[in-house]
């Protein structure tokens, strides 16, 4: 059986290879996008039906380029998760910083964020930037589940031996058939989804020695619970 050191080395090599591939993909994409912008400038004010059709096709191509860029970025995040640098943090502070960042976009989508952040939690060992990415993926998933607006309640607390943050939305919920698969890489029920958001979140949280759980009921919303061990329970190796 391969040792942990061998697994880490293999994963690092994969991350390096994927990084090189992403670079090779991004360069022609940038060139295509630049030329597309120039073409769109030539079709700034389409007058004829043919010109309007061309403009619509250019808009479609640009959306697909943006989607492909996001796929590349998501895959890069997925393979680079093991590059973790944990430091002693207050989970409530990390969550609050994230919520301040997402609040304007959430409000624009009609989502009210209600927060109950415990100021007396024990410290945890976190790579704050990486964990925020995981929590952001959970928040974005909740926003997408509340297409007509709703409420997202965020609470930090101590549950047994773990320090937790809970996200409870009033969205459409997840069917019992789909719920067991939501953390699978590349699984998505959305036409434009990469299927990596929740998978990345779960992997990041597990890399911190924690776990991510989901509960849901169709028509009533979903709850995601992130559990992280306190710092005194053991220090993660960077």
């Amino acid at each position: 059986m391969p040792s942990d050191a061998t697994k880490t080395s293999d994963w690092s090599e994969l991350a390096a290879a994927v990084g090189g591939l992403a670079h090779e993909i991004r360069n022609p994409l940038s060139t295509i996008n630049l030329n597309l912008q120039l073409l769109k400038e030539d079709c700034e004010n389409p007058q004829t039906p043919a010109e309007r059709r061309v403009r619509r096709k250019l808009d479609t191509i640009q959306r697909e380029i943006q989607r492909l860029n996001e796929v590349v970025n998501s895959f890069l995040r997925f393979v680079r998760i093991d590059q973790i640098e944990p430091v002693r943090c207050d989970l409530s502070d990390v969550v609050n910083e994230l919520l301040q960042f997402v609040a304007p976009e959430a409000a624009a989508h009609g989502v009210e964020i209600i927060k109950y952040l415990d100021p007396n939690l024990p410290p945890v060992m976190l790579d704050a930037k990486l964990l925020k990415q995981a929590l952001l993926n959970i928040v974005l998933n909740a926003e997408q589940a509340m297409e007509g607006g709703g409420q997202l309640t965020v609470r930090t607390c101590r549950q047994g031996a773990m320090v937790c943050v809970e996200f409870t939305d009033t969205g459409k919920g997840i069917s019992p058939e789909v719920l067991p698969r939501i953390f699978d890489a590349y699984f998505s029920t959305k036409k434009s989804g990469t299927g990596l958001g929740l998978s990345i979140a779960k992997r990041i949280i597990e890399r911190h020695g924690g776990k991510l759980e989901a509960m849901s009921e169709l028509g009533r919303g979903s709850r995601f619970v992130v559990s992280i061990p306190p710092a005194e329970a053991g220090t993660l190796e960077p």
Side-chain angles (χ1 to χ4, degrees):
M1 181 178 293
S3 66
D4 290 341
T6 300
K7 290 178 181 178
T8 300
S9 176
D10 290 346
W11 193 264
S12 297
E13 290 177 6
L14 174 61
V18 170
L21 178 61
H23 179 74
E24 294 300 319
I25 293 174
R26 280 172 166 167
N27 280 344
L29 272 182
S30 296
T31 302
I32 293 169
N33 197 44
L34 176 60
N35 282 277
L36 183 63
Q37 291 288 357
L38 295 174
L39 285 172
K40 289 183 69 174
E41 288 177 9
D42 291 338
C43 299
E44 191 72 33
N45 297 299
Q47 302 297 320
T48 68
E51 289 174 346
R52 286 192 286 272
R53 284 197 300 272
V54 169
R55 179 59 190 239
R56 286 195 297 270
K57 290 175 182 177
L58 292 175
D59 289 339
T60 299
I61 293 170
Q62 188 167 51
R63 285 196 301 271
E64 290 303 302
I65 289 173
Q66 292 170 346
R67 190 173 73 87
L68 186 53
N69 263 316
E70 179 53 32
V71 169
V72 172
N73 291 335
S74 294
F75 193 61
L76 276 173
R77 287 192 292 268
F78 186 70
V79 299
R80 289 177 175 171
I81 288 168
D82 276 3
Q83 299 172 7
I84 183 171
E85 299 178 359
V87 296
R88 203 174 183 88
C89 295
D90 183 307
L91 182 60
S92 288
D93 287 346
V94 173
V95 171
N96 193 46
E97 288 174 7
L98 172 71
L99 296 182
Q100 289 177 346
F101 172 74
V102 301
E105 183 180 357
H109 287 86
V111 175
E112 178 188 10
I113 297 179
I114 303 169
K115 55 186 179 181
Y116 301 98
L117 306 181
D118 189 336
N120 300 308
L121 292 176
V124 290
M125 295 299 296
L126 298 178
D127 183 319
K129 182 178 179 180
L130 202 55
L131 187 74
K132 283 180 186 176
Q133 179 62 58
L135 302 184
L136 176 62
N137 289 355
I138 296 171
V139 170
L140 292 177
N141 186 75
E143 285 185 8
Q144 292 166 4
M146 297 183 284
E147 294 177 354
Q151 290 183 334
L152 175 64
T153 302
V154 184
R155 182 170 78 103
T156 58
C157 58
R158 181 79 183 258
Q159 291 185 5
M162 306 294 273
V163 182
C164 302
V165 52
E166 300 177 351
F167 299 86
T168 306
D169 67 60
T170 58
K172 57 188 178 183
I174 305 167
S175 70
E177 297 79 20
V178 170
L179 188 60
R181 301 190 61 193
I182 61 172
F183 298 123
D184 292 349
Y186 304 110
F187 175 79
S188 177
T189 58
K190 309 178 189 75
K191 291 182 179 179
S192 59
T194 63
L196 284 172
L198 291 179
S199 178
I200 288 172
K202 186 173 188 289
R203 184 170 171 79
I204 290 173
I205 291 161
E206 289 177 346
R207 186 65 183 85
H208 283 83
K211 63 180 179 178
L212 173 59
E213 300 173 285
M215 293 132 276
S216 188
E217 185 176 344
L218 275 177
R220 301 195 63 179
S222 304
R223 182 161 69 104
F224 287 78
V225 181
V226 177
S227 304
I228 306 283
E232 62 265 22
T235 302
L236 290 173
E237 292 295 331

PDB file of all heavy atoms in Angstrom, residues 32-49:
ATOM      1  N   ILE A  32      -8.841  33.920 -28.071  1.00  0.00           N
ATOM      2  CA  ILE A  32     -10.187  33.806 -28.646  1.00  0.00           C
ATOM      3  C   ILE A  32     -11.095  34.887 -28.072  1.00  0.00           C
ATOM      4  O   ILE A  32     -11.851  35.548 -28.798  1.00  0.00           O
ATOM      5  CB  ILE A  32     -10.771  32.407 -28.378  1.00  0.00           C
ATOM      6  CG1 ILE A  32      -9.980  31.342 -29.148  1.00  0.00           C
ATOM      7  CG2 ILE A  32     -12.249  32.353 -28.765  1.00  0.00           C
ATOM      8  CD1 ILE A  32     -10.319  29.917 -28.728  1.00  0.00           C
ATOM      9  N   ASN A  33     -11.022  35.081 -26.764  1.00  0.00           N
ATOM     10  CA  ASN A  33     -11.886  36.054 -26.105  1.00  0.00           C
ATOM     11  C   ASN A  33     -11.578  37.475 -26.571  1.00  0.00           C
ATOM     12  O   ASN A  33     -12.486  38.288 -26.788  1.00  0.00           O
ATOM     13  CB  ASN A  33     -11.724  35.959 -24.589  1.00  0.00           C
ATOM     14  CG  ASN A  33     -12.869  36.628 -23.853  1.00  0.00           C
ATOM     15  OD1 ASN A  33     -14.037  36.474 -24.204  1.00  0.00           O
ATOM     16  ND2 ASN A  33     -12.537  37.400 -22.828  1.00  0.00           N
ATOM     17  N   LEU A  34     -10.294  37.787 -26.745  1.00  0.00           N
ATOM     18  CA  LEU A  34      -9.907  39.113 -27.215  1.00  0.00           C
ATOM     19  C   LEU A  34     -10.462  39.378 -28.615  1.00  0.00           C
ATOM     20  O   LEU A  34     -11.032  40.447 -28.883  1.00  0.00           O
ATOM     21  CB  LEU A  34      -8.383  39.235 -27.223  1.00  0.00           C
ATOM     22  CG  LEU A  34      -7.811  40.548 -27.779  1.00  0.00           C
ATOM     23  CD1 LEU A  34      -8.315  41.739 -26.973  1.00  0.00           C
ATOM     24  CD2 LEU A  34      -6.295  40.506 -27.778  1.00  0.00           C
ATOM     25  N   ASN A  35     -10.296  38.406 -29.509  1.00  0.00           N
ATOM     26  CA  ASN A  35     -10.808  38.570 -30.870  1.00  0.00           C
ATOM     27  C   ASN A  35     -12.330  38.624 -30.892  1.00  0.00           C
ATOM     28  O   ASN A  35     -12.933  39.319 -31.725  1.00  0.00           O
ATOM     29  CB  ASN A  35     -10.302  37.439 -31.763  1.00  0.00           C
ATOM     30  CG  ASN A  35      -8.866  37.648 -32.200  1.00  0.00           C
ATOM     31  OD1 ASN A  35      -8.596  38.362 -33.148  1.00  0.00           O
ATOM     32  ND2 ASN A  35      -7.927  37.028 -31.492  1.00  0.00           N
ATOM     33  N   LEU A  36     -12.948  37.907 -29.976  1.00  0.00           N
ATOM     34  CA  LEU A  36     -14.401  37.936 -29.877  1.00  0.00           C
ATOM     35  C   LEU A  36     -14.877  39.327 -29.465  1.00  0.00           C
ATOM     36  O   LEU A  36     -15.877  39.835 -29.998  1.00  0.00           O
ATOM     37  CB  LEU A  36     -14.863  36.891 -28.858  1.00  0.00           C
ATOM     38  CG  LEU A  36     -16.366  36.733 -28.672  1.00  0.00           C
ATOM     39  CD1 LEU A  36     -17.014  36.264 -29.972  1.00  0.00           C
ATOM     40  CD2 LEU A  36     -16.655  35.726 -27.567  1.00  0.00           C
ATOM     41  N   GLN A  37     -14.164  39.956 -28.535  1.00  0.00           N
ATOM     42  CA  GLN A  37     -14.527  41.315 -28.112  1.00  0.00           C
ATOM     43  C   GLN A  37     -14.444  42.281 -29.292  1.00  0.00           C
ATOM     44  O   GLN A  37     -15.306  43.158 -29.454  1.00  0.00           O
ATOM     45  CB  GLN A  37     -13.578  41.783 -26.994  1.00  0.00           C
ATOM     46  CG  GLN A  37     -13.752  41.061 -25.668  1.00  0.00           C
ATOM     47  CD  GLN A  37     -15.032  41.468 -24.960  1.00  0.00           C
ATOM     48  OE1 GLN A  37     -15.777  42.333 -25.410  1.00  0.00           O
ATOM     49  NE2 GLN A  37     -15.327  40.809 -23.857  1.00  0.00           N
ATOM     50  N   LEU A  38     -13.411  42.108 -30.125  1.00  0.00           N
ATOM     51  CA  LEU A  38     -13.265  42.974 -31.298  1.00  0.00           C
ATOM     52  C   LEU A  38     -14.415  42.771 -32.288  1.00  0.00           C
ATOM     53  O   LEU A  38     -14.940  43.724 -32.867  1.00  0.00           O
ATOM     54  CB  LEU A  38     -11.920  42.698 -31.981  1.00  0.00           C
ATOM     55  CG  LEU A  38     -10.676  43.050 -31.159  1.00  0.00           C
ATOM     56  CD1 LEU A  38      -9.413  42.594 -31.873  1.00  0.00           C
ATOM     57  CD2 LEU A  38     -10.626  44.552 -30.872  1.00  0.00           C
ATOM     58  N   LEU A  39     -14.814  41.498 -32.466  1.00  0.00           N
ATOM     59  CA  LEU A  39     -15.943  41.209 -33.357  1.00  0.00           C
ATOM     60  C   LEU A  39     -17.235  41.820 -32.820  1.00  0.00           C
ATOM     61  O   LEU A  39     -18.055  42.349 -33.583  1.00  0.00           O
ATOM     62  CB  LEU A  39     -16.102  39.697 -33.522  1.00  0.00           C
ATOM     63  CG  LEU A  39     -15.095  38.987 -34.429  1.00  0.00           C
ATOM     64  CD1 LEU A  39     -15.271  37.478 -34.317  1.00  0.00           C
ATOM     65  CD2 LEU A  39     -15.282  39.444 -35.876  1.00  0.00           C
ATOM     66  N   LYS A  40     -17.412  41.763 -31.498  1.00  0.00           N
ATOM     67  CA  LYS A  40     -18.621  42.322 -30.902  1.00  0.00           C
ATOM     68  C   LYS A  40     -18.670  43.834 -31.069  1.00  0.00           C
ATOM     69  O   LYS A  40     -19.749  44.416 -31.219  1.00  0.00           O
ATOM     70  CB  LYS A  40     -18.712  41.935 -29.426  1.00  0.00           C
ATOM     71  CG  LYS A  40     -19.022  40.461 -29.198  1.00  0.00           C
ATOM     72  CD  LYS A  40     -19.177  40.129 -27.733  1.00  0.00           C
ATOM     73  CE  LYS A  40     -20.429  40.734 -27.150  1.00  0.00           C
ATOM     74  NZ  LYS A  40     -20.649  40.291 -25.756  1.00  0.00           N
ATOM     75  N   GLU A  41     -17.499  44.467 -31.035  1.00  0.00           N
ATOM     76  CA  GLU A  41     -17.454  45.910 -31.261  1.00  0.00           C
ATOM     77  C   GLU A  41     -17.914  46.251 -32.678  1.00  0.00           C
ATOM     78  O   GLU A  41     -18.552  47.282 -32.909  1.00  0.00           O
ATOM     79  CB  GLU A  41     -16.042  46.437 -31.016  1.00  0.00           C
ATOM     80  CG  GLU A  41     -15.639  46.448 -29.545  1.00  0.00           C
ATOM     81  CD  GLU A  41     -14.211  46.915 -29.332  1.00  0.00           C
ATOM     82  OE1 GLU A  41     -13.593  47.390 -30.315  1.00  0.00           O
ATOM     83  OE2 GLU A  41     -13.722  46.797 -28.185  1.00  0.00           O
ATOM     84  N   ASP A  42     -17.579  45.366 -33.635  1.00  0.00           N
ATOM     85  CA  ASP A  42     -18.011  45.579 -35.017  1.00  0.00           C
ATOM     86  C   ASP A  42     -19.521  45.372 -35.167  1.00  0.00           C
ATOM     87  O   ASP A  42     -20.113  45.815 -36.168  1.00  0.00           O
ATOM     88  CB  ASP A  42     -17.276  44.628 -35.970  1.00  0.00           C
ATOM     89  CG  ASP A  42     -15.791  44.968 -36.083  1.00  0.00           C
ATOM     90  OD1 ASP A  42     -15.433  46.125 -35.787  1.00  0.00           O
ATOM     91  OD2 ASP A  42     -15.006  44.078 -36.456  1.00  0.00           O
ATOM     92  N   CYS A  43     -20.114  44.666 -34.201  1.00  0.00           N
ATOM     93  CA  CYS A  43     -21.572  44.412 -34.244  1.00  0.00           C
ATOM     94  C   CYS A  43     -22.272  45.141 -33.103  1.00  0.00           C
ATOM     95  O   CYS A  43     -23.240  44.646 -32.532  1.00  0.00           O
ATOM     96  CB  CYS A  43     -21.849  42.916 -34.138  1.00  0.00           C
ATOM     97  SG  CYS A  43     -21.140  41.942 -35.464  1.00  0.00           S
ATOM     98  N   GLU A  44     -21.746  46.303 -32.758  1.00  0.00           N
ATOM     99  CA  GLU A  44     -22.264  47.056 -31.610  1.00  0.00           C
ATOM    100  C   GLU A  44     -23.749  47.382 -31.762  1.00  0.00           C
ATOM    101  O   GLU A  44     -24.531  47.272 -30.825  1.00  0.00           O
ATOM    102  CB  GLU A  44     -21.455  48.344 -31.431  1.00  0.00           C
ATOM    103  CG  GLU A  44     -21.734  49.074 -30.123  1.00  0.00           C
ATOM    104  CD  GLU A  44     -21.159  48.354 -28.922  1.00  0.00           C
ATOM    105  OE1 GLU A  44     -20.099  47.711 -29.042  1.00  0.00           O
ATOM    106  OE2 GLU A  44     -21.794  48.435 -27.858  1.00  0.00           O
ATOM    107  N   ASN A  45     -24.150  47.796 -32.956  1.00  0.00           N
ATOM    108  CA  ASN A  45     -25.545  48.169 -33.209  1.00  0.00           C
ATOM    109  C   ASN A  45     -26.084  47.403 -34.415  1.00  0.00           C
ATOM    110  O   ASN A  45     -26.194  47.956 -35.515  1.00  0.00           O
ATOM    111  CB  ASN A  45     -25.655  49.679 -33.449  1.00  0.00           C
ATOM    112  CG  ASN A  45     -25.237  50.486 -32.243  1.00  0.00           C
ATOM    113  OD1 ASN A  45     -25.836  50.371 -31.180  1.00  0.00           O
ATOM    114  ND2 ASN A  45     -24.199  51.306 -32.404  1.00  0.00           N
ATOM    115  N   PRO A  46     -26.428  46.132 -34.235  1.00  0.00           N
ATOM    116  CA  PRO A  46     -26.921  45.333 -35.370  1.00  0.00           C
ATOM    117  C   PRO A  46     -28.240  45.902 -35.910  1.00  0.00           C
ATOM    118  O   PRO A  46     -29.146  46.217 -35.146  1.00  0.00           O
ATOM    119  CB  PRO A  46     -27.113  43.949 -34.754  1.00  0.00           C
ATOM    120  CG  PRO A  46     -27.263  44.188 -33.284  1.00  0.00           C
ATOM    121  CD  PRO A  46     -26.427  45.378 -32.970  1.00  0.00           C
ATOM    122  N   GLN A  47     -28.301  45.996 -37.215  1.00  0.00           N
ATOM    123  CA  GLN A  47     -29.471  46.588 -37.851  1.00  0.00           C
ATOM    124  C   GLN A  47     -30.348  45.561 -38.558  1.00  0.00           C
ATOM    125  O   GLN A  47     -31.574  45.605 -38.469  1.00  0.00           O
ATOM    126  CB  GLN A  47     -29.017  47.657 -38.868  1.00  0.00           C
ATOM    127  CG  GLN A  47     -28.185  48.778 -38.267  1.00  0.00           C
ATOM    128  CD  GLN A  47     -28.950  49.586 -37.243  1.00  0.00           C
ATOM    129  OE1 GLN A  47     -30.140  49.878 -37.429  1.00  0.00           O
ATOM    130  NE2 GLN A  47     -28.286  49.956 -36.152  1.00  0.00           N
ATOM    131  N   THR A  48     -29.725  44.628 -39.248  1.00  0.00           N
ATOM    132  CA  THR A  48     -30.479  43.655 -40.027  1.00  0.00           C
ATOM    133  C   THR A  48     -30.693  42.369 -39.226  1.00  0.00           C
ATOM    134  O   THR A  48     -29.972  42.116 -38.245  1.00  0.00           O
ATOM    135  CB  THR A  48     -29.730  43.312 -41.323  1.00  0.00           C
ATOM    136  OG1 THR A  48     -28.532  42.594 -40.980  1.00  0.00           O
ATOM    137  CG2 THR A  48     -29.372  44.576 -42.102  1.00  0.00           C
ATOM    138  N   PRO A  49     -31.665  41.535 -39.623  1.00  0.00           N
ATOM    139  CA  PRO A  49     -31.847  40.246 -38.943  1.00  0.00           C
ATOM    140  C   PRO A  49     -30.576  39.402 -38.935  1.00  0.00           C
ATOM    141  O   PRO A  49     -30.261  38.739 -37.935  1.00  0.00           O
ATOM    142  CB  PRO A  49     -32.960  39.579 -39.759  1.00  0.00           C
ATOM    143  CG  PRO A  49     -33.731  40.722 -40.329  1.00  0.00           C
ATOM    144  CD  PRO A  49     -32.715  41.785 -40.632  1.00  0.00           C
TER     145      PRO A  49
END
